[in-house]
Amino acid sequence: QVQLVESGGGSVQSGGSLRLSCVASEDISSSYCFSWFRRQSPGQVREWVASSNRGGVRSYADSVKGRFTISQDNAVNTLYLQMNGLKPEDTAMYYCAAGTKWYSSGYCAGTYWGQGTQVTVSS
């Protein structure tokens, strides 16, 4: 099974930017779709943020549309989440996930998960 390791989280001020990375342990070019999720506190359900598939289709939650961009570099088996215009409400633990089930609504169901990277946005 693929293993995923996120990095790139940190603390920024409102309006700032961060780029999260998620390195996969195997070739990602043809087998998987990917998603980013976030959880704002340990007791909350993970919130879907964005998904992409191997056909290049990308989809976003309304809360991040226009500010976040999901992308991948197959040469280095890495998924990215570029986050611009960050807001305090974006503060959360961010997780990447890989899966094999793509829904027509533009959602990739995660089967394999990384450990998460913390993003904190101050006002």
Side-chain angles (χ1 to χ4, degrees):
Q1 63 184 40
V2 64
Q3 295 180 329
L4 304 169
V5 179
E6 301 98 332
S7 63
S11 297
V12 296
Q13 291 191 323
S14 182
S17 298
L18 284 173
R19 187 177 77 161
L20 306 184
S21 299
C22 173
V23 179
S25 60
E26 60 184 70
D27 179 22
I28 64 171
S29 62
S30 60
S31 301
Y32 301 102
C33 59
F34 294 92
S35 288
W36 286 95
F37 293 82
R38 64 188 182 187
R39 177 182 283 154
Q40 295 180 322
S41 65
Q44 287 191 325
V45 174
R46 273 185 291 217
E47 173 193 8
W48 172 73
V49 174
S51 291
S52 66
N53 69 11
R54 53 185 178 267
V57 177
R58 303 173 185 177
S59 56
Y60 300 91
D62 288 343
S63 59
V64 306
K65 198 173 295 182
R67 300 188 297 123
F68 290 11
T69 302
I70 187 172
S71 64
Q72 63 188 73
D73 185 341
N74 295 335
V76 291
N77 297 332
T78 302
L79 179 74
Y80 299 102
L81 185 68
Q82 177 67 44
M83 306 186 295
N84 299 328
L86 283 162
K87 305 175 181 179
E89 52 263 43
D90 294 318
T91 295
M93 183 73 78
Y94 283 74
Y95 301 87
C96 67
T100 56
K101 178 64 175 176
W102 178 265
Y103 293 84
S104 59
S105 58
Y107 174 75
C108 175
T111 302
Y112 307 105
W113 295 82
Q115 83 290 347
T117 186
Q118 178 68 39
V119 172
T120 303
V121 185
S122 58
S123 57

